[in-house]
Amino acid sequence: MVLMKFKIFLALITVTMVFSLSSCATNSSVISLNYVPLPKQVLRGAPEFAVGKFKDRRGVEPQTLGHVRLPIGPRVDTLQTRLPISDVVRNAFGYGLETRGMVAPDTKARFIITGEIEDLRAQLLVHPYGYARIRVNVLEAGSGRVLFTKVYQGERQSGAYRPGSGSPVPVLRELTSRALQEAVDRALDDSEMRQRIGAGGDARPRYTPGML
């Protein structure tokens, strides 16, 4: 009789734990990434560019940015973006071009920037971490011919997260924003890219911060 009660007790505990973990795993936070221009650290250019489509090749849901996991156990939070990641990256390149004075007037672009999002994620295991890897293509606007293509990366990591020290979501948002911006800035300021396509120069100051 005692053994039977003990088995029933264990079964109830197991069921309770399963429901509890399932509940934790379905939590989600919706965040916005941002682009914070540093006007003195960018290479300005002529207004000859437009931004095309960026294909999401990450193999996850369009608005899933990553997961918060404890060192032991299932994920406890899922990070989602307000917009699909493809739009987030497109907006980031748009802000980057605007900051550099490189956005062409309507229908007058010489070049179109498109690309593929190979990776963009926020994650927490021990250290909060943000990472971006994007293949950027520069097309000739008139013909659609690919003039230049290259993969650019950005990476940010902070110190170890201490459970109970508060939500890690703001830290992950900041790290991932800066990782994405690093990849964008590396692409737009790449002297090899500018020389290869023969882009012009422009010294006029521009500054446009923006939420992605």
Side-chain angles (χ1 to χ4, degrees):
M1 185 69 175
V2 173
L3 180 59
M4 182 178 294
K5 289 183 178 180
F6 181 70
K7 289 182 178 179
I8 294 174
F9 175 76
L10 285 179
L12 290 173
I13 290 294
T14 301
V15 171
T16 301
M17 290 179 64
V18 168
F19 277 105
S20 177
L21 293 177
S22 298
S23 175
C24 289
T26 57
N27 291 339
S28 64
S29 297
V30 178
I31 64 174
S32 296
L33 304 185
N34 63 16
Y35 184 97
V36 182
L38 301 172
K40 295 181 179 179
Q41 299 181 22
V42 301
L43 297 177
R44 305 191 186 283
E48 301 176 318
F49 290 80
V51 184
K53 293 183 178 181
F54 281 79
K55 297 180 180 179
D56 188 350
R57 301 294 194 193
R58 300 173 306 140
V60 298
E61 292 298 316
Q63 290 172 244
T64 297
L65 186 62
H67 304 293
V68 178
R69 300 178 186 272
L70 298 178
I72 299 176
R75 68 175 185 254
V76 296
D77 204 354
T78 297
L79 301 182
Q80 304 275 348
T81 51
R82 293 184 304 108
L83 302 174
I85 292 295
S86 56
D87 290 338
V88 170
V89 171
R90 185 178 188 276
N91 290 345
F93 275 91
Y95 283 124
L97 288 170
E98 180 66 25
T99 298
R100 292 161 174 80
M102 294 168 65
V103 176
D106 292 344
T107 71
K108 294 185 178 181
R110 288 181 60 200
F111 311 108
I112 300 175
I113 291 183
T114 67
E116 298 180 353
I117 306 160
E118 297 181 356
D119 202 351
L120 178 60
R121 70 181 186 272
Q123 68 181 41
L124 170 59
L125 291 174
V126 176
H127 296 270
Y129 179 73
Y131 180 69
R133 186 173 71 247
I134 302 168
R135 175 169 290 281
V136 176
N137 307 312
V138 182
L139 312 182
E140 186 177 52
S143 66
R145 180 166 60 98
V146 177
L147 302 176
F148 184 84
T149 182
K150 187 175 179 179
V151 175
Y152 298 91
Q153 301 181 72
E155 186 176 34
R156 290 290 188 277
Q157 180 173 286
S158 68
Y161 171 72
R162 292 182 294 107
S165 62
S167 172
V169 172
V171 175
L172 289 166
R173 172 187 178 275
E174 178 65 14
L175 292 173
T176 310
S177 293
R178 301 290 70 78
L180 173 58
Q181 182 167 343
E182 181 180 7
V184 171
D185 289 347
R186 284 180 172 178
L188 299 182
D189 292 337
D190 188 344
S191 58
E192 179 190 2
M193 178 273 288
R194 295 195 186 198
Q195 292 172 6
R196 183 81 62 83
I197 68 174
D202 189 333
R204 291 176 295 175
R206 301 289 180 94
Y207 179 82
T208 307
M211 299 298 292
L212 308 178

